[in-house]
Amino acid sequence: MMIDPDEIRKEVAIRHSLLLGADDPILVTITLNELVLDRYIELANGQRLEQQQAITAAIHAQVEQAKDTAGKIITDSANFVSDQVREAISAAARDASLSLRDQLAVARTTGETIKSDLGQIQTARTIAIVSAVIAIICAVVAIAAVLMAAK
């Protein structure tokens, strides 16, 4: 955007009560300054654009690095939890196995006791039957003795 020389001449006349000619060397200086300033603005804009691109690339790299780090953290956490669950399941299985073994031993002992009791019950039954038969024989003998004595 070029500065209007007439606008400069007008402002100088108002502020300083001085009239500049259209070909006054100060206007040439202003034009040269404006050209130099425009060039520096172009250079600064170019550098700003380059820096903006560099910042964007750095941000992108940081985002990618953050994603990688987050992925590693998630994977490591999942592995840790998996290991903890596996250990807990193994401990529970060991405890259940020991408990089952103890219960099986109790069941075997109970089975042996029942088997022994069953043998004793069968022996007692046999004795009861034999006792009943002897009692019947004794009763028959007693009845026969009473009948013989009564004759």
Side-chain angles (χ1 to χ4, degrees):
M1 176 173 148
M2 296 294 278
I3 298 175
D4 182 13
D6 291 333
E7 198 56 42
I8 293 173
R9 290 173 60 217
K10 177 180 158 187
E11 191 63 31
V12 169
I14 293 171
R15 287 187 189 181
H16 302 285
S17 301
L18 179 68
L19 293 176
L20 296 176
D23 59 347
D24 193 294
I26 194 75
L27 294 176
V28 172
T29 303
I30 291 172
T31 302
L32 288 173
N33 281 339
E34 185 178 13
L35 291 172
V36 169
L37 182 60
D38 285 346
R39 178 65 184 138
Y40 278 110
I41 289 174
E42 284 178 26
L43 291 173
N45 281 337
Q47 288 176 353
R48 180 190 53 82
L49 184 61
E50 288 174 9
Q51 290 171 351
Q52 196 172 23
Q53 290 171 346
I55 289 170
T56 300
I59 288 172
H60 179 71
Q62 288 297 321
V63 167
E64 290 302 314
Q65 185 178 7
K67 285 180 183 178
D68 289 345
T69 301
K72 288 176 184 175
I73 289 171
I74 290 169
T75 300
D76 290 349
S77 297
N79 289 338
F80 176 77
V81 168
S82 176
D83 291 345
Q84 293 298 313
V85 168
R86 194 175 300 118
E87 287 178 21
I89 289 172
S90 293
R94 280 192 304 273
D95 291 347
S97 176
L98 293 174
S99 176
L100 186 59
R101 188 173 35 218
D102 292 345
Q103 291 174 1
L104 186 57
V106 169
R108 283 187 185 137
T109 303
T110 303
E112 289 170 5
T113 302
I114 290 171
K115 187 177 176 183
S116 172
D117 290 348
L118 185 59
Q120 290 175 356
I121 289 171
Q122 287 175 345
T123 302
R125 182 176 172 235
T126 303
I127 292 171
I129 291 172
V130 169
S131 297
V133 170
I134 292 173
I136 292 172
I137 292 172
C138 287
V140 170
V141 170
I143 291 174
V146 170
L147 288 177
M148 293 239 227
K151 278 190 185 191

